[in-house]
Structures are given as C-alpha cells and as structure tokens.
C-alpha cells in the first residue's frame, strides 16, 4: 500500500495554537540549576544569571509558553522562599528529585525574567498538595496586582515595581499522585475552592487550569468535568512514552529495531487517548470552551548510566525526533480541543531540547523537530485525507508515515512528514487541491541520522542536524511525490 494524501489547500479546519509547542521546566536534576540558571557570578556567560548559550538556543525555537516550577515539585514549592536577597533565601530539600538541596536562587523574579527574555507566556503551576489557599492567592497578587496592596509592596521591595502579565495558572499538579493522592471528587472540590482566589487583577486575565488525568484515567476527566467544568479554562493530561515498563524503561541510546517500533507504537497511543478524553469533555462542554492541555508528554527512559537516578537525565536520538514529530501531528489533528502542550522537559531532563555539560551545550534531535515545525505556529490547519502504508514488526502494524499540513499567515503552505520505519524508505504522494501552485517552488528540510540511535553530544554536536531536502518532486499530473529515507522527518514549503 502506498502513502497517499489529498490536501485541500483552500480549506482550513482550524488553527494550530502555537502553545502546542510549549515547554516545561521543573526544579528537577539539572534542568533549572546548571541547565538554565548558573548565577550572575558564574564563569559561564550569562544574562542576570541565565546562561546565554541555552537562552540563545531556546530563543531560536520561539517558545510560546513555559510551565514552571513543576511537576511534582510544584506541590512542595512555597513561592515566598524564592524571593528577596538570594543569599538569605531558604534552603530546602528537593524530596522528589534526588533529595538534593534546593537553594531557591531561581524563584518568581528569575522565572519571569526568563520568560521576558524568551518572549514567551509564563504558565505558573501553584501548590495545592502542601500549600494553602492564602499562599496561592498571595502569589497571584504578588505577580499581577497593580496598586497598593501588601503583596504589591513586597514585590516592589524585591525590586519590581510594575506587575507582570501572567496568563496561565495551574491549580496543582498530578493531585491524584505526588500532588496529594486525592480522589477526583475531593480534588474537584479543592480545585473549586483554590481557583476562587486565583483572581484577575486589573486587566490581567488568568486562564485557570485544573489538574487532569494521567494516561487512561477517564474517570478523573469525567468527575472533573462534571463537578468543576464551569470554573476552569483548561484541563490537563499527562502521558509519557515508556518503551518497556516502568521498572525498567529501556535505554535512551541502546535499543534495537523492535524497541524502536514499540516506542513509536506507544507514542501514537496519544491519538486514541486524546480522542477519548475529548469525548468526555464534549459531553459536558460541547462548545469546546475548555482546552485540553497536555502539559507533560515525551519519552521517559532509564537514566544515563552513572547519573543520579533522581535527575532523570537521558540522551536523545532520532527515535525521540520521530516521537516528537508524530506527537505534534497528533496535537495538530486535535487542535479543536488541544490548545496547549508542554514537552517534558526543556533542558537536561527527559525528552530535552538542549543538553549541557559544564559550560558546553548541544541541541538534540528533538530540538531540530521543534525548530523545523515553527512554521506551524498559529498557522491554519489544512483539511487532509491520508492513507499510510503499514509498518509491521512481529505481526503488529502502525502507520509507516505521518503527515500534517498548514498555511502560514504569508500564504505559504507547509507539509511536515515523518517516516517511522527503521529500515524502509517511504514514498508519499500528495494531491494538492485548491492551490494554483503548479509553478510554486518546493523547498524542503530534512532531519536524518546515520543510525537509529544517532544523537548529539557536546563533543559531536552536529551528528544529527537538518539539511536541505531535495526528495520532493512535482509529477506531470501535478501531484507531489516525496521520498523520505527511513527514520526521518521532513518539512516542505510550497510557495
Ligand atoms: O516530568 C517529571 C515528572 O513526571 C513530573 O514532576 C510529574 O508531574 C510527572 O510525574
């Protein structure tokens, strides 16, 4: 069977919210400390404590939204410990992640500075598990109140007169687990109470996000929608791609074709998962006012040998690039409800886009996918019918290819495609309807490794990188035929 698509280039079926390309940075391992924050006195060149090389790399992705401070850390975080002179900030134990000392040097001011430097929206995750309603209310007041108030005065004393704009606020994280082991009925009530005090001050309008389900926990979504829908703007979903099992997840770099296949098969589960959670949401919110926010997703492997098991540091190969591309396509497809997603996590943790080693840094294959797919940010999602050839291993099949098409504001058309097969090239043919583009130039970019486990290191930073793609050719009948190497991702620009 061939890989064939018909794209109605003149029919938009929605907008791909740029927030689908969001990121997540937790106080976990070397994500914040060392990965982003090195402090003003560091030998590593920095801007007010934020390392310049990582900042520049992240600026290259046009990150739309960044979630912080957790994760599980969020429900143990007390924001007042992270303000004021750094040398006097409270030192605490990061119990979830390695039991290391958290010196609170990266707090509210530092995070919001990072967002300003990145030009992205902050998504703050508040503490329900071990925090109080008052603490949450005061945090919002501290960040956003413009006028005379105790928290605005405290902010000014900390060196920031003007309030920040904070659009997204999460009321707890994984409250069915690390965020308090609550039952959905209990959390729904707690959510209703806490969010009451997450106030809109002046013209700062907060998008309130309730903690949603993990994986296949449809009951959680059902109860939250039934009991609290009218109080929320977004409901979250967490799903990680774990190739083997929780207790032995598999290596990030040492895997065979079977595990490659299994990883991609599990990544594609996101499609069904999102569809089912959406169906429940549709029952209570047919107008689709509430967004489904997949604020944790990505691959989760065993940590790199010799590293702290609590730091979740893993390498990132072409397999991760394929997981990223196929998952982003799934989010496009569900963009009527999925309006934000945050890959876990930005630097040095899980499926990171950047890895650091001392003063050096490298970009991962996942980074390159996010860079290539920037063309889809806020673009019109085009109507597409696609038939994929099967990719079969041990009698189990998944689609060999995945495709998504969008039109940017400047009128140009972009088609992103990936070939999931570990060893077979894929020929895809596209019939473009509603586009007088016979003469329009086709340009392309390709991401391909020299092995399935190809990855970048600080000593070999360009082993996996993008190159121009010339494998897409217009046929005499007007269709476009693209031949994609095995295990690769490409983006075509037409026009
Ligand atoms: O991303 C790592 C952890 O995974 C997060 O802290 C938590 O929310 C999830 O279980």
């Amino acid at each position: 069977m061939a890989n064939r698509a018909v794209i109605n280039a003149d029919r938009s079926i929605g907008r791909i919210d740029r927030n689908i390309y969001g990121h997540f940075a937790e106080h976990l391992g070397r994500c914040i400390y060392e990965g982003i924050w090195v402090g003003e006195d560091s030998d590593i060149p920095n801007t007010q404590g934020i390392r310049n090389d990582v900042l520049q790399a992240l600026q290259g992705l046009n990150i739309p939204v960044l979630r912080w401070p957790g994760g599980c850390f969020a429900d143990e975080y007390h924001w007042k410990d992270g303000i004021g002179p750094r040398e006097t900030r409270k030192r605490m134990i990061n119990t979830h992640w390695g039991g290391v000392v958290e010196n609170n040097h990266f707090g509210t001011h530092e995070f919001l500075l990072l967002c300003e430097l990145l030009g992205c929206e902050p998504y703050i995750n508040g503490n329900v598990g071990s925090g109080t309603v008052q603490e949450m209310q005061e945090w919002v007041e501290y960040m956003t109140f413009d006028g005379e108030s105790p928290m605005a005065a405290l902010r000014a004393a900390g060196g920031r007169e003007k309030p920040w704009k904070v659009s997204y606020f999460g009321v707890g994280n994984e409250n069915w687990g690390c965020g308090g082991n609550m039952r959905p009925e209990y959390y729904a009530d707690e959510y209703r109470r806490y969010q009451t005090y997450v106030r809109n001050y002046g013209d700062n309008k907060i998008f309130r996000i309730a903690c949603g389900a993990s994986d296949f926990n449809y009951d959680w979504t059902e109860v939250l929608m039934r009991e609290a829908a009218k109080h929320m703007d977004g409901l979250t979903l967490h799903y990680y791609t774990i190739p083997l099992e929780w207790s032995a997840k598999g290596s990030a770099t040492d895997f065979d074709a079977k595990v490659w296949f299994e990883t991609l098969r599990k990544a594609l589960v996101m499609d069904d998962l999102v569809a089912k959670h959406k169906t429940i949401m549709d029952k209570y919110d047919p107008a689709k006012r509430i967004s489904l926010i997949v604020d944790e997703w990505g691959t989760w492997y065993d940590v790199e040998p010799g590293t702290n098991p609590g730091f979740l540091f893993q390498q990132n190969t072409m397999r991760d690039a394929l997981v990223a591309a196929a998952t982003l396509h799934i989010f496009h497809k569900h963009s009527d409800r999925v309006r934000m997603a945050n890959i876990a996590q930005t630097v040095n943790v899980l499926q990171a886009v950047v890895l650091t080693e001392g003063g050096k840094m490298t970009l991962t294959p996942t980074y390159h996918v996010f860079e290539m797919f920037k063309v889809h940010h806020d673009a019109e999602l085009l109507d597409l019918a696609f038939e994929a050839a099967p990719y079969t291993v041990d009698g189990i099949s998944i689609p060999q290819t995945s495709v998504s098409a969008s039109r940017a504001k400047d009128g140009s058309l972009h088609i992103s495609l990936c070939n999931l097969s570990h060893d077979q090239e894929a020929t895809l043919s596209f019939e473009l309807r509603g586009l007088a583009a016979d003469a329009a130039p086709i340009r392309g970019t390709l991401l391909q490794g020299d092995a399935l486990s190809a990855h970048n290191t600080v000593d070999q930073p360009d082993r996996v990188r993008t190159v121009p793609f010339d494998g897409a050719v217009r046929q005499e009948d007007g269709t476009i035929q693209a031949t994609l190497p095995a295990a690769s991702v490409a983006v075509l620009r037409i026009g």
Side-chain angles (χ1 to χ4, degrees), residues 26 42 196 224 260 312 344 465 494:
E26 180 169 6
S42 171
T196 308
L224 262 291
W260 163 280
L312 310 188
R465 66 192 161 88
I494 298 166

Side-chain angles (χ1 to χ4, degrees), residues 381-457:
L381 178 67
L382 296 180
D383 184 29
L384 166 152
F386 183 60
E387 184 185 57
Y391 167 31
T392 308
V393 170
D394 286 348
I396 302 173
S397 297
I398 58 174
Q400 184 193 3
T401 50
S402 159
V403 174
S404 189
S406 74
R407 182 185 291 286
K409 284 200 182 84
D410 67 2
S412 56
L413 182 87
H414 296 99
I415 307 175
S416 48
L417 22 139
C418 44
N419 179 6
L420 276 53
S421 170
H422 64 277
D423 63 352
Q424 300 293 310
E425 69 176 24
T427 301
L428 300 98
S429 58
F430 301 99
E431 184 184 331
L432 289 175
R433 292 192 185 148
L435 180 78
D438 293 359
I442 307 172
R443 280 162 285 179
T445 309
L446 178 74
L447 184 71
Q448 183 195 10
D450 54 12
L452 295 180
S453 63
H455 56 274
N456 294 331
T457 62

Side-chain angles (χ1 to χ4, degrees), residues 176-284:
W176 37 261
C178 65
N181 284 304
M182 302 175 192
R183 292 172 306 109
E185 292 80 4
Y186 180 80
Y187 171 73
D189 282 346
E190 285 294 83
Y191 172 77
R192 290 167 64 123
R193 186 165 77 104
Y194 274 71
Q195 67 77 36
T196 308
Y197 303 91
V198 176
R199 300 202 187 281
N200 293 328
Y201 291 112
D203 56 10
N204 188 79
K205 176 129 181 38
I206 294 191
F207 186 99
R208 290 172 180 71
I209 300 171
C211 161
S214 167
D215 307 350
F216 313 98
N217 188 350
Y218 301 114
D219 181 50
W220 186 278
T221 300
E222 176 83 36
V223 174
L224 262 291
M225 289 300 292
R226 190 181 67 221
E227 303 298 338
K230 75 171 184 205
H231 301 285
M232 65 175 83
D233 301 303
L235 181 65
T236 67
L237 171 67
H238 289 181
Y239 176 69
Y240 285 98
T241 298
I242 298 167
L244 304 177
E245 55 198 44
W246 182 254
S247 53
K249 303 177 185 70
S251 158
T253 51
D254 185 10
F255 55 86
D256 58 18
K258 247 173 132 160
V259 177
W260 163 280
F261 175 87
E262 192 54 9
T263 310
L264 293 170
R265 187 188 69 75
K266 287 190 170 171
L268 296 182
V269 166
M270 182 71 91
D271 191 11
D272 191 40
L273 200 58
V274 167
K276 290 192 169 123
H277 285 284
K278 270 173 64 176
T279 305
I280 299 168
M281 294 177 80
D282 286 348
K283 180 168 135 197
Y284 296 96

